[in-house]
Amino acid sequence: MSNNKLEVKTMAELAAEGRSPEYLYWVGCMGSYDDRAKKITRSFVRLLNAAGVDFAVLGPEESCSGDPAKRAGNEFLFQMQAMMNIETMNAYGVKKIITTCPHCYNTFKNEYPELGGHYEVVHHSELLEKLLSEGKLQLKHNPLAGRTITYHDPCYLGRGNDIYDAPRHVLESVKIEVKEMPNHRENAVCCGAGGAQMFKEAEPQKEEIFVYRTREALTLNPDVIATACAFCNTMITDGVKHYNKEQEVKILDLAEILAEGLE
């Protein structure tokens, strides 16, 4: 399909041509259906196209990874979803998966193997770091020159899978200096969406966690709060709105920041 000059093939289209791509890009539920997260998806695809990455998507054959069901305690539903996905991906001979969602990343990497799904799973922050370091992704300018930026560590990327450096290297490679929040890396505070909390009402407490985390970011007076997870993006966006700062502070994914530099 083509959308605003984006080139995206489906696995089925490539299979009909007798080809198999290097990567399956797993778009994820947020990246497919959430209007805000779709912008992250489009930005990432623009970067993949610009770097000449050989990839395809499942399109209508993609289902949920099963992460929300498992976190909510429905192991039966999770295994049903996972087995269906594994059957589909194995039929196409998938070996490598890219995700923009740390939740999908964590599920594919750590929970699919015991069900027979063995893949090399790469988060988009890792792939972007690799493409930049190899010179395959060239930006025309520093997309955030002169602006103050801080980075929020997603739980499933950081503490869950020990990926702290790749996102920071991505920003540093295009001459963006990151101002760290008081709690960062291993001590980063959750945005409040993990563990299927995204889909339920908040439990009674003094202060919701997304408000706390956003306030921590705002103490740095940032122009941009960067993250690498659509769930985090949503929660921190809500936090910025809570403080009536949405006109002053942008919440951007790494892919969106780099895509700005292509123009």
Side-chain angles (χ1 to χ4, degrees), residues 184-203:
H184 61 280
R185 296 181 72 96
E186 295 88 348
N187 296 317
V189 176
C190 177
C191 74
Q197 296 297 305
M198 179 87 166
F199 309 107
K200 60 184 285 294
E201 293 298 321
E203 295 170 17

Side-chain angles (χ1 to χ4, degrees), residues 150 152 180-184 187-189 210-222 243:
T150 188
H152 165 76
E180 297 286 8
M181 287 183 248
N183 292 299
H184 61 280
N187 296 317
V189 176
F210 77 92
V211 174
Y212 178 92
R213 182 55 165 169
T214 304
R215 185 173 71 251
E216 189 173 36
L218 293 177
T219 60
L220 302 173
N221 295 314
Y243 286 106

